[in-house]
Amino acid sequence: VGSITTQNCFALADDISVEDVPSTDSPTQVDDYVPPENADNFKFEAEVNRMMDIVVNSLYQNKDVFLRELISNASDALDKLRFLTLTKPELLEDKEELEIRIEYDADASTLTVRDSGVGMTKADLVENLGTVARSGTTKFLDALQEQDKNDVGGLIGKFGVGFYSSFLVAKRVTVASKSPEDGVQYIWESRNGEDVFHIYPDPRGNSLGRGTEITLHLKEDCMDYADGDRLKNLVKHYSEFVTHPIHLRITSETEVEIDEDDENIDDESGDEEKKDDIEIGDDEESTDDEEEEKPKKTEMVTTYDWEEINNNPAIWTREKDSISEEEYRNFWDVVAKGVTGNPAKWNHFNAEGNINFKSLLYLPEEVPENYRFGNIDKISGGLKLYVRKVLISDEFDLMPKYLGFIRGVVDSDDLPLNVNRETLQESKIIKVIKKKLVRKALDMIKAFSKEEIAEDEEEEVEIDEEGNVIEIEKEDKEHPYIEWYQKFNANLKMGIIDDTANRGRVMKLLRFQTSKSNDKWISLDEYVENMKDYQKDIYMIAGAGLEEVKKSPFLEPFQEKELEVLYMTDPVDEYMIQQIRDYEGKKFQSISSENVKIGDEDDDLVKRREKAYKKMYKPLTKWLKKLYGPAVMRVAISKRLGNQPAIVSSSEYGHSANMQRIMEAQAYQSGQNNMMMQAMKVLEINPRHPFVSKLLGGCSSPEKEEDDEVEEEEFVVSQEVEDAAWLLLDIGSMNGGFAVSDVKKHTERVSKFLQSSLSIESLSLADEIDPPEEEEEAPEDMGGMGGINMEDFNMDDIDIDSLDLD
């Protein structure tokens, strides 16, 4: 038990405040143990007694950690022995194996942890397990005076209290130890709640050879620790990667046959059986057969086997060059419990500097199950934190939420184990480790995105009849990163929203389909490289799906000028674009908002045309704004509509149609102000379209000259013109991705249009028809069956095999 010696190898435990732990002030369980007469009795010092009370009643939240403490101590003892054998190889003479063995006995209510480490002499047992000299108890209690009394968990790990966690589950603890420096094997023993301990020579003699054996006499409510499956799971959870082999004795029951005692059978048969045999004569054979058929007796036999629990290697401690790809892939199966698929990529590195740690990170190939249901808040067991290959916790948030899918291990010797888990989570060391891990994870993804695609093997060429090579068009092979990106792109986009420090790094990992990429995915760097010389902005359009944005009328002027537009079809894109205004100095510009400038036209000509159109259509724009009221924020003359009569765009700094749709669809948006979710709509009308020109003529006053000001109150318009104006708004709304504001009124206007187009005078329904009663008709011809009813035949009587069906 190295942590009980002079080494700095103390308890490793999950820590909590005393206020979080239910009181365990129950009376100590009765134990009829009486120490032998030759035992030397020692009294715990007062500080040790107080400290043990704190350990049992306040320090540990989870009793399971006692096993981790004992295994860690045993591992430390083995490490010390291995170090000593460098100069004293004779220490291995009594026992060569360096191992830890665990066994249990449910009948005797015991659990035993045995190691072949350095062992302890009688003096070591007295000093290390009962007095202040080595245990550090005084420092522990001094620190307790300075610490918040309700946060004693903050003191764990520094003062050698790990051994005393045994009393969490044991009513009595027996420690047998044999040191190579002493020819006698001694036993240290103490009961839970007593202030004394006993030491005496082991009556079994030198049964250990070398090392220490700790036997816990379990409390009645802790008998579940005398179970093989429970112990196996605990060892795998906490000590899976301990350097030295850990063997667990597995108990199993097997059913075996019992051979009958032939002599007893002969005695019971006697002479009468022999006489019967003579009289039976010919029936002798049948009697033997009956005896052979008689079932054999069986009984249950208990068997014991040793199973090595920690056979998974801690490959992160080795040099990268010494680890094969197969070993990396096999280790993925160890850390990726509960995750399907293979690793897409991994990154193995040593971080050196003020904080040293080793880590192995894996990028999964498949999306975790809870991601498919939109839950990316927490993935348990993603990254496991180790100290010297002993698990501290798999609950630390070592990765931000958007990288929660990363799997792997982190092992550091620099963690301050004298703080509780909550404090450690907020410590500067954890923050430094987390920062480095995030950078390494993003570097791993970046390297994955830049990998060259492996070339396919050369296929045999085909030659036609004339001897010419037939050229076969090969489909472009998609980069494996794109396949991975399509599954995890929402996480990366969440990273842009949440991780401002690494926003630039994450943006380089994004990929988009565009109006010119033929459904291929390109990076923002590729987009910037393909920009026109006069282009100043990065154009983008958001929508509910790829097909929807491809058909958007907003794209027409950009397609005419061969300007590339990014397609953003994920709901998270709208939130992401609000956080990033530019990339490499190029501003993001949504083409569905107003005032989009392309930049290849004569500015002077554009201004003159805009001024002229505004003057010409001023009567119409003023009348339309009054007609529509709050349905639109403004009516404007557009110069980018192409063949469309009108379109509803959004204000430059307001919500887009897609964003409004997303916000209205939120499951938990009840109680929100509806106005906050509405986009600020701008109706853009096309001054060159005949619909708009006709409307202008329908709302102008004939009594005014062309240059005179016309007040909208003087407009006299027909109902048909007003209906047409509302239809224009409906058309513009649908072109812009917005829903029709009043579906019922829209239906009425369309119905009037159909009535007029079809020259229907009235929309009254026709009278119901009253068809005459009809007689039942004869069955239709059965298609050549001649009216034969197949039910008249019994198909079971037909011999199919005898029929010549050829």
Side-chain angles (χ1 to χ4, degrees), residues 240-258:
E240 186 175 13
F241 301 108
V242 168
T243 303
H244 307 286
I246 302 174
H247 298 276
L248 176 64
R249 194 176 77 159
I250 303 297
T251 303
S252 58
E253 291 189 348
T254 307
E255 186 177 10
V256 297
E257 295 180 356
I258 303 175

mmCIF file of all heavy atoms in Angstrom, residues 240-258:
data_model
loop_
_atom_site.group_PDB
_atom_site.id
_atom_site.type_symbol
_atom_site.label_atom_id
_atom_site.label_comp_id
_atom_site.label_asym_id
_atom_site.label_seq_id
_atom_site.Cartn_x
_atom_site.Cartn_y
_atom_site.Cartn_z
ATOM 1 N N GLU A 240 -9.216 0.341 -14.943
ATOM 2 C CA GLU A 240 -9.090 -0.456 -16.166
ATOM 3 C C GLU A 240 -7.689 -0.395 -16.754
ATOM 4 O O GLU A 240 -7.231 -1.339 -17.390
ATOM 5 C CB GLU A 240 -10.109 0.044 -17.189
ATOM 6 C CG GLU A 240 -10.178 -0.779 -18.457
ATOM 7 C CD GLU A 240 -11.284 -0.316 -19.371
ATOM 8 O OE1 GLU A 240 -11.827 0.779 -19.134
ATOM 9 O OE2 GLU A 240 -11.619 -1.048 -20.312
ATOM 10 N N PHE A 241 -6.990 0.724 -16.550
ATOM 11 C CA PHE A 241 -5.689 0.897 -17.198
ATOM 12 C C PHE A 241 -4.524 0.923 -16.212
ATOM 13 O O PHE A 241 -3.446 1.415 -16.539
ATOM 14 C CB PHE A 241 -5.702 2.187 -18.021
ATOM 15 C CG PHE A 241 -6.760 2.203 -19.076
ATOM 16 C CD1 PHE A 241 -7.881 3.014 -18.942
ATOM 17 C CD2 PHE A 241 -6.668 1.385 -20.184
ATOM 18 C CE1 PHE A 241 -8.862 3.030 -19.911
ATOM 19 C CE2 PHE A 241 -7.660 1.380 -21.156
ATOM 20 C CZ PHE A 241 -8.751 2.213 -21.023
ATOM 21 N N VAL A 242 -4.732 0.415 -15.002
ATOM 22 C CA VAL A 242 -3.626 0.301 -14.054
ATOM 23 C C VAL A 242 -2.547 -0.584 -14.670
ATOM 24 O O VAL A 242 -2.843 -1.603 -15.306
ATOM 25 C CB VAL A 242 -4.125 -0.280 -12.713
ATOM 26 C CG1 VAL A 242 -2.965 -0.670 -11.818
ATOM 27 C CG2 VAL A 242 -5.016 0.734 -12.021
ATOM 28 N N THR A 243 -1.281 -0.207 -14.485
ATOM 29 C CA THR A 243 -0.176 -0.888 -15.176
ATOM 30 C C THR A 243 -0.108 -2.366 -14.837
ATOM 31 O O THR A 243 0.060 -3.215 -15.724
ATOM 32 C CB THR A 243 1.153 -0.217 -14.804
ATOM 33 O OG1 THR A 243 1.086 1.168 -15.128
ATOM 34 C CG2 THR A 243 2.305 -0.870 -15.544
ATOM 35 N N HIS A 244 -0.246 -2.696 -13.572
ATOM 36 C CA HIS A 244 -0.061 -4.081 -13.134
ATOM 37 C C HIS A 244 -1.355 -4.869 -13.299
ATOM 38 O O HIS A 244 -2.453 -4.319 -13.153
ATOM 39 C CB HIS A 244 0.400 -4.096 -11.676
ATOM 40 C CG HIS A 244 1.594 -3.235 -11.423
ATOM 41 N ND1 HIS A 244 2.855 -3.585 -11.829
ATOM 42 C CD2 HIS A 244 1.708 -2.006 -10.840
ATOM 43 C CE1 HIS A 244 3.712 -2.624 -11.485
ATOM 44 N NE2 HIS A 244 3.037 -1.648 -10.899
ATOM 45 N N PRO A 245 -1.221 -6.159 -13.609
ATOM 46 C CA PRO A 245 -2.431 -6.961 -13.832
ATOM 47 C C PRO A 245 -3.259 -7.100 -12.560
ATOM 48 O O PRO A 245 -2.725 -7.300 -11.463
ATOM 49 C CB PRO A 245 -1.873 -8.318 -14.297
ATOM 50 C CG PRO A 245 -0.463 -8.349 -13.799
ATOM 51 C CD PRO A 245 0.015 -6.938 -13.803
ATOM 52 N N ILE A 246 -4.570 -6.983 -12.729
ATOM 53 C CA ILE A 246 -5.515 -7.163 -11.625
ATOM 54 C C ILE A 246 -6.335 -8.413 -11.915
ATOM 55 O O ILE A 246 -7.033 -8.487 -12.926
ATOM 56 C CB ILE A 246 -6.443 -5.943 -11.485
ATOM 57 C CG1 ILE A 246 -5.630 -4.662 -11.264
ATOM 58 C CG2 ILE A 246 -7.426 -6.148 -10.345
ATOM 59 C CD1 ILE A 246 -6.477 -3.404 -11.260
ATOM 60 N N HIS A 247 -6.229 -9.392 -11.028
ATOM 61 C CA HIS A 247 -6.955 -10.652 -11.201
ATOM 62 C C HIS A 247 -8.084 -10.715 -10.182
ATOM 63 O O HIS A 247 -7.902 -10.411 -9.002
ATOM 64 C CB HIS A 247 -6.020 -11.851 -11.000
ATOM 65 C CG HIS A 247 -4.898 -11.911 -11.995
ATOM 66 N ND1 HIS A 247 -5.027 -12.463 -13.246
ATOM 67 C CD2 HIS A 247 -3.625 -11.467 -11.923
ATOM 68 C CE1 HIS A 247 -3.887 -12.372 -13.905
ATOM 69 N NE2 HIS A 247 -3.010 -11.767 -13.126
ATOM 70 N N LEU A 248 -9.241 -11.117 -10.644
ATOM 71 C CA LEU A 248 -10.405 -11.290 -9.785
ATOM 72 C C LEU A 248 -10.780 -12.765 -9.762
ATOM 73 O O LEU A 248 -10.902 -13.396 -10.813
ATOM 74 C CB LEU A 248 -11.588 -10.459 -10.303
ATOM 75 C CG LEU A 248 -12.916 -10.617 -9.563
ATOM 76 C CD1 LEU A 248 -12.805 -10.122 -8.129
ATOM 77 C CD2 LEU A 248 -14.036 -9.882 -10.304
ATOM 78 N N ARG A 249 -10.936 -13.311 -8.540
ATOM 79 C CA ARG A 249 -11.333 -14.716 -8.441
ATOM 80 C C ARG A 249 -12.838 -14.816 -8.667
ATOM 81 O O ARG A 249 -13.640 -14.256 -7.913
ATOM 82 C CB ARG A 249 -10.957 -15.304 -7.074
ATOM 83 C CG ARG A 249 -11.047 -16.843 -7.064
ATOM 84 C CD ARG A 249 -10.601 -17.421 -5.764
ATOM 85 N NE ARG A 249 -11.612 -17.277 -4.728
ATOM 86 C CZ ARG A 249 -11.676 -18.028 -3.621
ATOM 87 N NH1 ARG A 249 -10.759 -18.961 -3.413
ATOM 88 N NH2 ARG A 249 -12.606 -17.814 -2.722
ATOM 89 N N ILE A 250 -13.180 -15.527 -9.717
ATOM 90 C CA ILE A 250 -14.583 -15.691 -10.107
ATOM 91 C C ILE A 250 -15.105 -17.014 -9.564
ATOM 92 O O ILE A 250 -14.474 -18.067 -9.749
ATOM 93 C CB ILE A 250 -14.736 -15.646 -11.640
ATOM 94 C CG1 ILE A 250 -14.172 -14.338 -12.181
ATOM 95 C CG2 ILE A 250 -16.188 -15.820 -12.034
ATOM 96 C CD1 ILE A 250 -14.884 -13.107 -11.691
ATOM 97 N N THR A 251 -16.226 -16.959 -8.910
ATOM 98 C CA THR A 251 -16.867 -18.161 -8.366
ATOM 99 C C THR A 251 -18.008 -18.578 -9.278
ATOM 100 O O THR A 251 -18.816 -17.755 -9.698
ATOM 101 C CB THR A 251 -17.420 -17.894 -6.955
ATOM 102 O OG1 THR A 251 -16.362 -17.440 -6.114
ATOM 103 C CG2 THR A 251 -18.018 -19.162 -6.365
ATOM 104 N N SER A 252 -18.047 -19.860 -9.612
ATOM 105 C CA SER A 252 -19.126 -20.367 -10.459
ATOM 106 C C SER A 252 -19.521 -21.756 -9.991
ATOM 107 O O SER A 252 -18.724 -22.469 -9.362
ATOM 108 C CB SER A 252 -18.693 -20.407 -11.933
ATOM 109 O OG SER A 252 -17.544 -21.204 -12.101
ATOM 110 N N GLU A 253 -20.732 -22.142 -10.286
ATOM 111 C CA GLU A 253 -21.232 -23.461 -9.909
ATOM 112 C C GLU A 253 -21.485 -24.278 -11.163
ATOM 113 O O GLU A 253 -22.073 -23.781 -12.126
ATOM 114 C CB GLU A 253 -22.516 -23.342 -9.082
ATOM 115 C CG GLU A 253 -22.283 -22.750 -7.695
ATOM 116 C CD GLU A 253 -23.515 -22.842 -6.829
ATOM 117 O OE1 GLU A 253 -24.591 -23.148 -7.387
ATOM 118 O OE2 GLU A 253 -23.417 -22.623 -5.615
ATOM 119 N N THR A 254 -21.030 -25.547 -11.131
ATOM 120 C CA THR A 254 -21.154 -26.440 -12.279
ATOM 121 C C THR A 254 -21.855 -27.719 -11.848
ATOM 122 O O THR A 254 -21.578 -28.258 -10.767
ATOM 123 C CB THR A 254 -19.766 -26.771 -12.861
ATOM 124 O OG1 THR A 254 -19.060 -25.560 -13.123
ATOM 125 C CG2 THR A 254 -19.900 -27.576 -14.149
ATOM 126 N N GLU A 255 -22.745 -28.217 -12.688
ATOM 127 C CA GLU A 255 -23.454 -29.467 -12.399
ATOM 128 C C GLU A 255 -22.635 -30.635 -12.936
ATOM 129 O O GLU A 255 -22.282 -30.674 -14.117
ATOM 130 C CB GLU A 255 -24.840 -29.443 -13.042
ATOM 131 C CG GLU A 255 -25.702 -30.641 -12.680
ATOM 132 C CD GLU A 255 -27.100 -30.550 -13.282
ATOM 133 O OE1 GLU A 255 -27.315 -29.649 -14.124
ATOM 134 O OE2 GLU A 255 -27.952 -31.371 -12.927
ATOM 135 N N VAL A 256 -22.292 -31.611 -12.056
ATOM 136 C CA VAL A 256 -21.487 -32.775 -12.454
ATOM 137 C C VAL A 256 -22.251 -34.049 -12.105
ATOM 138 O O VAL A 256 -23.089 -34.080 -11.191
ATOM 139 C CB VAL A 256 -20.113 -32.759 -11.758
ATOM 140 C CG1 VAL A 256 -19.312 -31.538 -12.181
ATOM 141 C CG2 VAL A 256 -20.249 -32.790 -10.244
ATOM 142 N N GLU A 257 -21.950 -35.125 -12.851
ATOM 143 C CA GLU A 257 -22.600 -36.416 -12.613
ATOM 144 C C GLU A 257 -21.914 -37.153 -11.468
ATOM 145 O O GLU A 257 -20.701 -37.019 -11.254
ATOM 146 C CB GLU A 257 -22.546 -37.265 -13.881
ATOM 147 C CG GLU A 257 -23.340 -36.677 -15.040
ATOM 148 C CD GLU A 257 -23.260 -37.558 -16.277
ATOM 149 O OE1 GLU A 257 -22.522 -38.562 -16.229
ATOM 150 O OE2 GLU A 257 -23.942 -37.244 -17.264
ATOM 151 N N ILE A 258 -22.696 -37.967 -10.743
ATOM 152 C CA ILE A 258 -22.169 -38.757 -9.623
ATOM 153 C C ILE A 258 -22.215 -40.225 -10.030
ATOM 154 O O ILE A 258 -23.252 -40.740 -10.444
ATOM 155 C CB ILE A 258 -23.012 -38.542 -8.351
ATOM 156 C CG1 ILE A 258 -23.051 -37.044 -7.989
ATOM 157 C CG2 ILE A 258 -22.450 -39.365 -7.200
ATOM 158 C CD1 ILE A 258 -23.965 -36.751 -6.826
#
